[in-house]
């Protein structure tokens, strides 16, 4: 075991007949459009470098065509890169041979799909057991484990239903239970909630956060929805045209966008819901008016107090100790994106 | 030669050389091949004699029982029962049994050859490119053309009839197996790969079950193709209902041809209903596509 977590080093992917040659052209400066026109090769990803910590939710965010779905399929090698390395706990997974890769997929990494990818001819319980049975776990053990996971995602009692009999949200919870059942430390979620309608999507996001607080998996989450990325991600990488434009925490991306693209992207975000009181606290101020806000709470929780005419509100840390205060002016600056 | 097409090569000598080569092949391999297909012939005879010696009501009960088991539908079961009785009323019971035996054996062998071939084809685009025109040829080449070599190899009889029937009936099983597997939802297959399924596990847990409706449609077509071959196969000694039609033509007896013809139609309906019900039954667990 080397460093826990995942390191992506210089991953590039070119689609076409002679990808290695085409990649040489890219390295010598040819652009994506020119490459496609002159050689018929499509540049999917170019020189991706990421560090993903063990136990965090890492969101890869981008619009369609940005390469995010291609990128996530590199972590379990559903797609092979043209160049680069991927280290999982220090081990280069690109060196795994066929049986090694199969074992890696069976035990170390699991995946949740946008359109669920459930087997329509098997019932819910059999679907959740799928990864375990593939791995040769006995039916009895697999069933026991599958029932636990179904209870965990709130689907106890639905074991004998078939996927087509469930709503989208329930189907995706089956998909999540199936991925959790193998006890893999890494969870890949490919636009897992994008096919759900907004209310259910939000429920699922909260459920995932609650589960993650218990399970502490390393989760790589793909989305095209910035609000979802900011809500879930401990770290976020913004992908455009196959390159990473910026990687960092949600607050970093909001407050210090690396370039115009990212800036335009985050322009319409509801900052009051994403930025926390702690991030705009002035530690030099102490106020003794009653009422305070938690440093980890979003700025919007302080709005009610400001509405009653307060000029400054005390901010407390997790133990209830005052650490400073937020002022009306600071809130306005944060909302204006300064 | 009035068209004046120039003689660019000697097609007559080529034909003669081909005939000579095939004659040599027959001389060298005829007996081996005949020996090789002996088990198939035995199976066919056993089946035919079995069906003919069983009391008629056992066969009737068997067909009706099979239909009910597959369809769970009294109407379909009654239809199959009535049509089976009609075969006896038309006075063509024994011939019908011979035809059923030939058809069932030909269909089973076609499935045994066709489904695995279809699976292989679904995995290799190269094989598919080669196999597609071959399948087209098998279905469009007039059947009499490949009756000639089969008769030369085995002499007139049931084996060449069976083989010719298989050549004609196997393409739909191959095509629809290949098509069914290729149409399996890519995301479901990807999910199975992502959980570490080997190609074999993918085949049996995802591809075949999801391709089943298509495979069963192929099996149904194969059955119908086999049945439609029985008249022609009778010309080289397959016997059965087709032989009655042939005799009707030779003796100019409208009644004989008509009754045997009706018998073939009845058999077609019986086996179509059974095959369809089997297909539906195998899909019931699939529910509606999810």
């Amino acid at each position: 075991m080397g460093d826990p977590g995942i390191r992506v080093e210089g991953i590039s992917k070119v689609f076409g007949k002679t990808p290695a040659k085409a990649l040489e052209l890219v390295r010598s400066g040819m652009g994506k459009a020119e490459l496609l026109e002159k050689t018929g090769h499509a540049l999917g990803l170019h020189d991706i470098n990421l560090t993903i910590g063990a136990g965090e939710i890492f969101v890869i965010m981008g619009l369609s065509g940005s390469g995010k779905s291609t990128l996530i399929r590199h972590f379990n090698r559903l797609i092979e890169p043209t160049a680069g390395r991927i280290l999982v706990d220090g081990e280069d997974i690109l060196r795994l041979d066929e049986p090694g890769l199969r074992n890696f997929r069976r035990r170390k990494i699991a995946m949740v799909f946008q359109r669920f990818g459930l087997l329509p001819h098997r019932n819910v319980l059999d679907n959740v057991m799928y990864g375990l049975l593939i791995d040769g776990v006995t039916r009895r053990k697999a069933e026991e484990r599958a029932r636990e996971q179904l209870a965990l995602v709130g689907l106890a009692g639905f074991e004998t239903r078939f996927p087509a009999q469930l709503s989208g949200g329930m189907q995706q919870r089956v998909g999540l239970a199936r991925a959790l059942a193998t006890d893999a430390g890494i969870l890949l979620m490919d636009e897992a909630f994008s096919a759900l309608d907004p209310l259910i999507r939000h429920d699922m996001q909260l459920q995932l956060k609650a589960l993650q607080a218990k399970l502490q998996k390393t989760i790589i989450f793909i989305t095209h929805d910035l609000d979802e990325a900011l809500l879930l991600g401990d770290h976020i990488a913004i992908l455009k045209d196959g390159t990473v434009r910026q990687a960092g925490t949600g607050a970093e991306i909001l407050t210090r966008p690396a370039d115009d693209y990212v800036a335009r992207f985050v322009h319409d975000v509801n900052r009051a819901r994403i930025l926390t009181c702690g991030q705009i606290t002035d530690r030099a101020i102490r106020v003794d008016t009653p009422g305070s806000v938690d440093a980890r709470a979003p700025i919007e929780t302080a709005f009610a107090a400001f509405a009653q005419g307060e000029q400054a509100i005390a901010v407390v840390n997790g133990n209830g100790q005052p650490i400073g205060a937020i002022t009306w002016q600071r809130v306005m600056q944060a909302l204006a994106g300064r | 030669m009035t068209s004046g097409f120039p003689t660019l090569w000697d097609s007559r000598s080529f034909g003669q050389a081909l005939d000579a080569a095939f004659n040599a092949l027959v001389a060298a391999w005829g007996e081996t091949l005949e020996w090789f297909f002996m088990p198939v012939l035995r199976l066919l005879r056993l089946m035919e004699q079995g069906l003919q010696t069983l009391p008629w009501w056992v066969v009737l009960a068997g067909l009706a029982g099979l239909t009910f088991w597959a369809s769970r539908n009294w109407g379909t079961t009654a239809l199959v029962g009535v049509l089976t009785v009609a075969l006896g009323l038309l006075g063509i019971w024994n011939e019908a049994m011979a035809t059923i035996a030939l058809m069932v054996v030909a269909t089973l062998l076609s499935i045994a050859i066709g489904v695995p071939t279809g699976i292989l084809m679904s995995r290799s685009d190269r094989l598919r490119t080669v196999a597609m025109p071959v399948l087209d040829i098998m279905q469009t080449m007039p059947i009499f053309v490949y009756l000639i070599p089969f008769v030369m190899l085995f002499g007139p009889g049931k084996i060449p009839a069976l083989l010719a029937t298989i050549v004609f009936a196997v393409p739909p099983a191959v095509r629809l197996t290949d098509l069914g597997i290729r149409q399996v939802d890519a995301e479901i297959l990807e999910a199975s790969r992502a959980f570490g399924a080997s190609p074999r596990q993918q085949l049996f847990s995802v591809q075949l079950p999801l391709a089943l409706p298509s495979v069963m449609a192929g099996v149904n077509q194969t059955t119908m193709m086999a049945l439609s071959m029985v008249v022609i196969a009778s010309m080289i000694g397959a016997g059965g209902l087709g032989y009655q039609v042939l005799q009707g033509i030779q003796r100019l007896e409208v009644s004989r041809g008509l009754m045997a013809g009706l018998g073939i139609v009845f058999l077609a309906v019986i086996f179509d209903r059974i095959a369809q019900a089997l297909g539906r039954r195998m899909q019931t667990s699939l529910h509606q596509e999810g």
Side-chain angles (χ1 to χ4, degrees):
Chain A
M1 299 287 262
D3 311 326
I6 303 171
R7 288 180 58 85
V8 176
E9 296 180 350
I11 287 288
S12 292
K13 174 69 184 177
V14 179
F15 295 98
K17 280 190 173 153
T18 53
K21 261 191 208 162
L23 187 59
E24 287 305 315
L25 293 175
V26 174
R27 285 188 173 147
S28 58
M30 191 181 278
K32 184 174 174 159
E34 196 186 353
L35 183 77
L36 186 63
E37 191 176 318
K38 286 199 174 154
T39 68
H41 285 67
L43 180 61
L45 296 170
H46 186 223
D47 197 25
I48 304 283
N49 294 284
L50 296 170
T51 303
I52 298 167
E56 74 166 336
I57 299 185
F58 192 98
V59 176
I60 297 167
M61 127 114 230
L63 301 181
S64 57
S66 62
K68 58 190 190 302
S69 287
T70 305
L71 178 56
I72 199 176
R73 280 165 176 71
H74 280 75
F75 290 99
N76 57 357
R77 280 177 61 188
L78 289 174
I79 296 178
E80 302 280 347
T82 309
R85 303 201 299 165
I86 296 176
L87 305 177
V88 173
D89 296 338
E91 191 194 359
D92 185 358
I93 59 157
L94 294 170
R95 295 197 175 180
L96 293 171
D97 56 4
E98 199 51 45
L101 177 61
R102 240 176 263 151
N103 279 330
F104 176 70
R105 287 175 179 167
R106 287 174 183 180
R107 294 174 193 164
K108 299 264 179 73
I109 195 161
M111 192 160 177
V112 181
F113 293 85
Q114 180 173 8
R115 290 186 302 117
F116 324 131
L118 301 175
L119 302 176
H121 59 294
R122 296 200 184 176
N123 68 23
V124 166
L125 188 67
D126 284 340
N127 263 292
V128 177
M129 295 192 328
Y130 186 72
L132 296 164
L133 296 181
I134 288 291
D135 194 19
V137 174
T138 61
R139 216 184 147 79
R140 245 183 62 195
K141 264 195 186 162
E143 199 174 314
E144 189 183 326
R145 178 109 190 110
R147 284 184 191 281
E148 284 170 23
Q149 303 312 312
L150 279 173
L152 194 64
V153 299
L155 280 182
F158 288 88
E159 287 83 355
T160 56
R161 301 289 189 90
F162 283 84
Q165 298 173 308
L166 303 180
S167 69
M170 287 162 106
Q171 289 191 46
Q172 193 55 299
R173 279 190 273 163
V174 176
L176 186 59
R178 173 175 68 177
L180 293 175
T182 60
D183 209 18
I186 305 169
L187 210 53
L188 304 177
M189 305 188 71
D190 179 21
E191 300 233 26
F193 304 149
S194 300
L196 307 176
D197 46 41
L199 283 178
I200 298 186
R201 189 187 313 162
H202 193 63
D203 285 346
M204 292 291 287
Q205 290 162 352
L206 297 181
Q207 192 178 15
L208 180 68
K209 278 191 87 142
L211 273 175
Q212 169 67 353
K214 263 189 273 181
L215 300 172
Q216 300 286 311
K217 306 249 179 200
T218 305
I219 299 179
I220 300 171
F221 194 103
I222 297 283
T223 183
H224 63 256
D225 175 357
L226 188 59
D227 288 320
E228 185 169 70
L230 291 166
L231 176 69
L232 293 174
D234 295 310
H235 286 92
I236 299 168
I238 295 193
L239 210 60
K240 167 135 173 35
D241 292 338
T243 56
V244 174
R245 288 302 181 90
Q246 186 172 7
T249 64
E252 278 167 11
I253 287 172
L254 274 191
T255 52
R256 292 191 296 279
D259 58 21
D260 275 357
Y261 177 75
V262 178
R264 266 195 299 148
F265 217 100
V266 300
H267 185 256
D268 292 330
V269 165
N270 181 355
R271 287 152 200 278
R273 187 167 292 165
I274 305 302
L275 295 174
T276 61
C277 296
Q279 284 162 343
I280 58 164
T281 299
D282 187 337
R283 287 168 192 271
I285 306 178
R286 285 285 183 274
V287 290
D288 38 16
T289 48
S292 63
V293 290
D294 192 304
R296 293 162 302 180
I299 297 173
E300 64 181 4
T301 51
F303 284 2
F306 283 123
Q308 291 179 357
E310 300 287 351
Q311 291 304 307
I313 296 162
V315 177
V316 297
N317 64 14
N319 304 323
Q321 304 292 320
I323 57 168
I326 53 177
T327 60
W328 182 238
Q329 193 187 12
R330 286 223 167 199
V331 169
M332 281 307 167
Q333 281 170 347
L335 295 185
R338 303 263 153 85
Chain B
M1 292 297 164
T2 46
S3 67
F5 194 88
T7 312
L8 297 174
W9 68 309
D10 190 350
S11 62
R12 187 171 295 176
S13 304
F14 172 75
Q16 283 167 351
L18 197 64
D19 289 340
F22 192 75
N23 282 333
L25 185 84
V26 171
W29 291 96
E31 277 184 33
T32 321
L33 279 172
E34 220 167 307
W35 172 81
F36 182 78
F37 282 105
M38 218 42 189
V40 181
L41 186 58
R42 287 219 188 92
L43 175 70
L44 187 56
R45 281 206 182 117
L46 190 75
M47 185 126 183
E48 188 178 321
Q49 281 161 7
L51 282 170
Q52 284 172 346
T53 38
L54 281 176
W56 65 272
W57 49 270
V58 175
V59 176
L60 174 65
L63 283 176
L66 180 65
T67 312
F68 185 73
W69 174 78
S71 69
R72 298 291 151 94
N73 181 325
W74 286 111
T76 314
T77 311
L79 177 69
V80 166
V82 168
L83 291 178
T84 311
V85 171
L87 291 174
L89 292 178
L90 286 171
I92 48 173
W93 184 266
N94 276 345
E95 288 79 8
M97 292 304 117
T99 297
I100 291 179
L102 180 67
M103 199 191 79
V104 168
V105 173
T107 305
L108 289 180
L109 287 175
S110 296
I111 294 168
I113 297 165
V115 173
T117 311
I119 292 172
L120 287 179
M121 233 167 96
S122 71
R123 305 191 148 207
S124 156
D125 286 335
R126 199 173 292 173
L127 178 61
R128 184 185 156 95
T129 319
V130 177
M132 275 309 195
V134 174
L135 292 176
D136 289 338
I137 291 171
M138 283 163 76
Q139 283 187 297
T140 47
M141 177 79 82
I143 185 137
F144 298 102
V145 176
Y146 49 76
L147 279 180
I148 305 166
F150 281 139
V151 172
M152 283 174 73
L153 275 169
F154 300 100
K158 291 192 186 305
I159 286 289
L162 186 69
L163 291 181
T165 307
I166 290 175
V167 170
F168 193 62
V170 99
V174 178
R175 273 187 220 278
L176 286 161
T177 303
D178 169 63
L179 184 71
I181 292 181
R182 282 174 188 268
Q183 282 179 340
V184 166
D185 185 335
E187 201 180 49
I188 299 176
L189 194 61
E190 192 177 45
S192 116
R193 278 176 71 208
F195 281 95
S198 62
R200 198 190 159 81
Q201 286 170 323
Q202 285 171 43
L203 181 66
F204 286 106
S205 69
V206 178
Q207 291 173 307
L208 277 184
L210 294 189
L212 203 60
S214 178
V215 174
M216 286 310 292
V219 168
N220 196 346
Q221 278 193 29
T222 291
T223 315
M224 293 303 115
M225 296 285 228
L227 195 57
S228 72
M229 270 297 294
V230 294
V231 177
I232 294 162
S234 71
M235 300 183 81
I236 52 169
L241 290 175
Y243 186 64
Q244 296 298 311
V245 176
L246 194 65
Q247 277 201 323
I249 297 171
Q250 283 164 348
R251 298 184 192 170
L252 295 178
E253 283 183 75
V254 174
S255 61
R256 190 185 285 269
L258 184 65
M259 288 208 239
L262 278 177
I264 291 173
V265 172
F266 292 169
L267 282 184
V269 176
I270 291 172
F271 280 92
D272 179 61
R273 292 304 136 92
I274 294 178
Q276 274 190 23
L278 268 179
R280 270 199 296 271
R281 189 174 163 70
M282 291 170 94
Q283 289 169 45
T284 43
S285 60
L286 279 170
H287 285 253
Q288 318 84 12
E289 190 67 20

